[in-house]
Amino acid sequence: MILRVQDDRKRDLLFGAAPKRVVSLVPSETYNVAAIGCGGSLVGRTDYCELPRDLCGALPSVGGPKNPRLEAIVTLEPDLVLANQEENTKSDLEALAQRGLKVFVAFPRRVADAVAHLARLARIFRVDRHPTARTLIKQGYEMVRDAEDARAAARPPKTFCPIWMEPLVTIRGDTFISDVLDLAGAANVFARRERNLSVACDRDDRYPRVTMEQIVAAAPELVLLPSEPHAFTEQDADVFRKAPIPAAKHGAIVHVDGKDLCWYGARTIEGFSRVRAVIDAHRARIKA
């Protein structure tokens, strides 16, 4: 049976059978394929695909998400390349498509989108009725419904979540990370931050640069420092601890696992409860 699936660039891709040779150009996609029980189909990964460790350790790397070795990918003869609109470059993906490779581009912006994407992968790999995939996807949808109910019942702490230190870069509301925070019960203080027109970079629309003065003015009650894409250190945390913000007063400068915030799909389902627990704990501390 021919399966027609639309990717997030609104392109229809046809699958006559489950993919057997897959190159993943996105760490979270590598994890997703393994999580639905299809890790054996992977034949290539990026330098940053580190989980599951046993699987990734046995796979050849084709370079980084931003600078993959295209000939290495072609040589692996994949029947599917998994990519992301933001993590991979348009020119690389177009070059692979021009070489005749089937390139599936994902770009989930919401937690619910990430669960739906996992369900879409399960259909592509023809495992949507298998217990491993079905149970994980069902858990994801239940997680979203439960979190929506909990969010409506509690005041969200004003939260600042940087993704880079020098320069300071954060997230706007139309990003996946911001939706994770929102669903987990936090209010991103820069969700509606206007674009800085002095920055000649389109990414400032979604990942704006901010100053310490702007952070102080936003008065976050909680600061979350993820381990990726920038690995925030204790030295970085001290900068915020010394700032005149409520989060410093309440001892709410917290290191969190970046994968729980930005790896969409299976890792979101596994890590979301940890994000919620951090936010709930510091909500209680702020009230006290």
Side-chain angles (χ1 to χ4, degrees):
M1 180 183 71
I2 301 296
L3 177 67
R4 184 188 302 270
V5 180
Q6 191 175 78
D7 73 2
D8 288 340
R9 294 183 67 186
K10 306 302 181 184
R11 300 177 308 139
D12 288 333
L13 281 75
L14 302 179
F15 297 87
K20 301 297 184 184
R21 297 186 61 81
V22 180
V23 171
S24 172
L25 299 181
V26 190
S28 54
E29 294 286 31
T30 303
Y31 196 69
N32 285 338
V33 173
I36 60 174
C38 300
S41 66
L42 289 164
V43 296
R45 56 156 179 103
T46 73
D47 295 340
Y48 296 94
C49 295
E50 55 181 309
L51 297 177
R53 295 195 186 281
D54 291 347
L55 175 63
C56 291
L59 292 173
S61 175
V62 296
K66 298 294 186 187
N67 57 345
R69 298 187 298 276
L70 301 187
E71 288 303 321
I73 296 172
V74 173
T75 299
L76 290 170
E77 299 182 338
D79 52 11
L80 179 63
V81 177
L82 294 174
N84 178 275
Q85 182 174 315
E86 194 167 67
E87 293 192 43
N88 309 120
T89 64
K90 181 179 179 181
S91 59
D92 285 336
L93 301 185
E94 289 179 344
L96 291 172
Q98 290 169 2
R99 298 288 292 269
L101 300 185
K102 186 178 295 182
V103 181
F104 188 94
V105 183
F107 191 34
R109 296 170 182 255
R110 299 290 180 263
V111 174
D113 296 342
V115 180
H117 173 64
L118 200 62
R120 186 171 51 179
L121 285 180
R123 292 197 303 274
I124 290 172
F125 284 90
R126 310 294 174 108
V127 295
D128 48 313
R129 296 185 179 182
H130 291 195
T132 298
R134 288 185 66 181
T135 299
L136 182 61
I137 294 162
K138 180 175 181 288
Q139 179 186 349
Y141 284 123
E142 290 174 347
M143 174 197 78
V144 171
R145 289 193 295 270
D146 177 65
E148 288 173 342
D149 291 341
R151 177 182 58 183
R155 185 187 75 83
K158 296 169 61 179
T159 302
F160 172 59
C161 181
I163 59 171
W164 209 259
M165 190 65 187
E166 295 182 2
L168 274 168
V169 179
T170 188
I171 50 173
R172 286 196 64 215
D174 57 347
T175 58
F176 182 76
I177 298 175
S178 188
D179 193 64
V180 171
L181 296 178
D182 178 71
L183 188 64
N188 174 10
V189 293
F190 288 107
R192 294 178 177 81
R193 196 260 196 194
E194 294 183 2
R195 183 182 180 189
N196 182 357
L197 297 178
S198 68
V199 178
C201 177
D202 291 338
R203 288 176 65 85
D204 192 70
D205 281 337
R206 290 166 52 76
Y207 304 104
R209 296 185 183 186
V210 294
T211 65
M212 186 56 72
E213 290 75 14
Q214 290 169 327
I215 296 167
V216 170
E221 299 164 301
L222 173 63
V223 174
L224 298 178
L225 303 178
S227 58
E228 59 179 76
H230 171 75
F232 283 87
T233 65
E234 275 300 300
Q235 183 177 359
D236 296 329
D238 284 340
V239 172
F240 299 106
R241 291 184 183 114
K242 295 174 183 176
I245 55 177
K249 176 183 176 182
H250 296 297
I253 313 295
V254 189
H255 292 278
V256 294
D257 192 327
K259 294 179 179 62
D260 291 345
L261 294 175
C262 61
W263 278 33
Y264 57 85
R267 182 56 186 253
T268 310
I269 297 169
E270 296 171 10
F272 186 75
S273 62
R274 290 189 287 266
V275 178
R276 274 187 68 179
V278 169
I279 293 168
D280 288 345
H282 286 277
R283 180 190 290 112
R285 176 177 294 185
I286 291 165
K287 285 183 177 179

